[in-house]
Amino acid sequence: MARTKQQQPESNPSLSIKSITKSSVWDIQENDVFRMWEAALKDAEVKESIQHYVDIFKSAFLFEEIKDESAPVKKSYEKRGYKVATLKFEENLKFTWAIKKRPIVRVTDLTYENIRHISAAKLLEVIDRNFGGGWDSLSQSIQDVILSGFDISTTTLPKDRLHKKGGMYEKKVEDGFEVLEIPKGGWVEAIFAKLKPEQEKLRMQFAKSESDDDLENDDEDVVVEDNYSSHDDEDDEVQDPNDDEITEDNYSTMMDLGSDDPDEEAGELIDFSDE
């Protein structure tokens, strides 16, 4: 199981309606949503683009408009974890909304927009729910999403050697990695995860206008990040680790075990970080 840490409440009071994006929206909670809307009630530009902003919030929140404003209806939403509030933009324009943060409980809930807004411990908790299949049970597309936000390394060792003092496990933990251990017979797969540091990313908008025709042939400014794992593509289907018990006879290793010392873990770790 992954080591857990106290996760701080997600909130970013500096965000406003006009600055919110489908990525930064994951930094706020339900009360922040209503606070931001209340601050923008008199903004004519916001009123003209209500649906546009609602769509952004819907990427991170379950967002429902309540037509029946009776107390029993509101309470039914609140019992399901929704926050309910009425916002009045003008005399004849008001909305009663029920909103709730979208949970991230399955690997299919992970996206490029939310991957950097969860902790490493939360990520490993989600992976652990994937039928205990380990890193190779994840589809390539999900691995790519994870690798866009986290440094991931894996190793599989006999369970009595995984925690060897001074070994790779101890070094990774000391370096700030969270770890998930997945038993596989007499062996254990360890998945190490650490949030990547913020990096400035060049964003190119491939939009052509009469004043920007010279961009059409300017290919030198385009930077493509390669977040793909060096690991081979795996089948999309989740593998059940109980189908075949892993033994030293049938174990297929991810690591180079050519060392004379089988306890030498330094060369056994598969690191999926970008090179």
Side-chain angles (χ1 to χ4, degrees):
M1 298 296 293
R3 298 183 303 112
T4 58
K5 290 183 178 180
Q6 185 76 21
Q7 187 171 2
Q8 297 298 318
E10 297 173 1
S11 183
N12 191 339
S14 66
L15 290 174
S16 67
I17 287 285
K18 291 183 178 180
S19 66
I20 202 75
T21 67
K22 288 187 177 181
S23 176
S24 63
V25 72
W26 287 93
D27 279 336
I28 64 175
Q29 296 297 331
E30 293 87 349
N31 289 335
D32 297 313
V33 176
F34 288 123
R35 172 185 56 78
M36 292 166 67
W37 278 102
E38 288 171 355
L41 289 179
K42 296 182 180 180
D43 190 313
E45 184 179 341
V46 172
K47 286 192 289 186
E48 291 176 358
S49 306
I50 292 176
Q51 190 58 52
H52 165 72
Y53 294 110
V54 167
D55 288 342
I56 293 177
F57 285 108
K58 281 184 175 180
S59 65
F61 292 85
L62 300 173
F63 208 107
E64 296 191 34
E65 181 179 356
I66 300 177
K67 300 294 186 181
D68 182 354
E69 299 182 25
S70 63
V73 171
K74 290 181 179 180
K75 284 188 177 296
S76 69
Y77 278 96
E78 290 171 349
K79 286 181 179 179
R80 287 182 283 156
Y82 285 81
K83 299 287 185 181
V84 180
T86 298
L87 299 173
K88 187 175 181 180
F89 288 83
E90 54 190 41
E91 190 63 31
N92 297 319
L93 182 61
K94 68 176 184 178
F95 299 95
T96 298
W97 287 330
I99 63 175
K100 181 171 70 171
K101 193 71 170 284
R102 290 185 181 275
I104 301 176
V105 294
R106 300 178 298 272
V107 292
T108 52
D109 294 327
L110 300 172
T111 67
Y112 286 105
E113 286 75 24
N114 66 28
I115 191 63
R116 290 194 57 84
H117 300 276
I118 62 174
S119 67
K122 175 64 176 178
L123 170 66
L124 295 179
E125 178 186 317
V126 172
I127 293 177
D128 193 32
R129 290 198 186 103
N130 194 49
F131 306 102
W135 179 256
D136 287 341
S137 72
L138 304 176
S139 68
Q140 186 64 53
S141 60
I142 291 174
Q143 289 184 10
D144 290 343
V145 169
I146 294 173
L147 292 170
S148 72
F150 288 86
D151 288 323
I152 298 292
S153 302
T154 70
T155 186
T156 302
L157 291 169
K159 60 183 179 181
D160 59 349
R161 296 214 307 267
L162 183 63
H163 295 271
K164 185 181 70 173
K165 186 173 179 59
M168 189 59 69
Y169 186 105
E170 183 177 290
K171 293 176 182 177
K172 281 288 183 181
V173 171
E174 289 177 353
D175 194 31
F177 282 79
E178 295 288 334
V179 58
L180 171 67
E181 299 179 29
I182 301 176
K184 295 185 174 182
W187 300 69
V188 177
E189 177 183 359
I191 303 176
F192 303 94
K194 183 180 180 181
L195 189 65
K196 288 182 177 179
E198 284 286 353
Q199 295 178 348
E200 184 177 351
K201 295 183 179 180
L202 178 63
R203 295 188 178 186
M204 300 295 294
Q205 181 178 0
F206 298 97
K208 180 180 178 182
S209 65
E210 292 182 358
S211 61
D212 293 327
D213 284 341
D214 58 325
L215 291 177
E216 187 171 351
N217 296 318
D218 189 4
D219 294 331
E220 295 181 356
D221 292 335
V222 180
V223 176
V224 179
E225 287 193 1
D226 182 8
N227 286 319
Y228 281 83
S229 164
S230 60
H231 198 273
D232 292 339
D233 290 359
E234 298 291 338
D235 292 337
D236 288 349
E237 296 182 1
V238 175
Q239 300 170 358
D240 186 348
N242 296 320
D243 285 347
D244 295 299
E245 183 178 359
I246 300 177
T247 67
E248 291 187 276
D249 293 329
N250 65 14
Y251 170 65
S252 177
T253 181
M254 294 167 57
M255 299 78 63
D256 178 10
L257 296 181
S259 172
D260 293 335
D261 181 4
D263 290 338
E264 186 60 41
E265 298 174 36
E268 296 177 348
L269 198 72
I270 299 300
D271 194 336
F272 295 93
S273 306
D274 294 335
E275 294 185 358

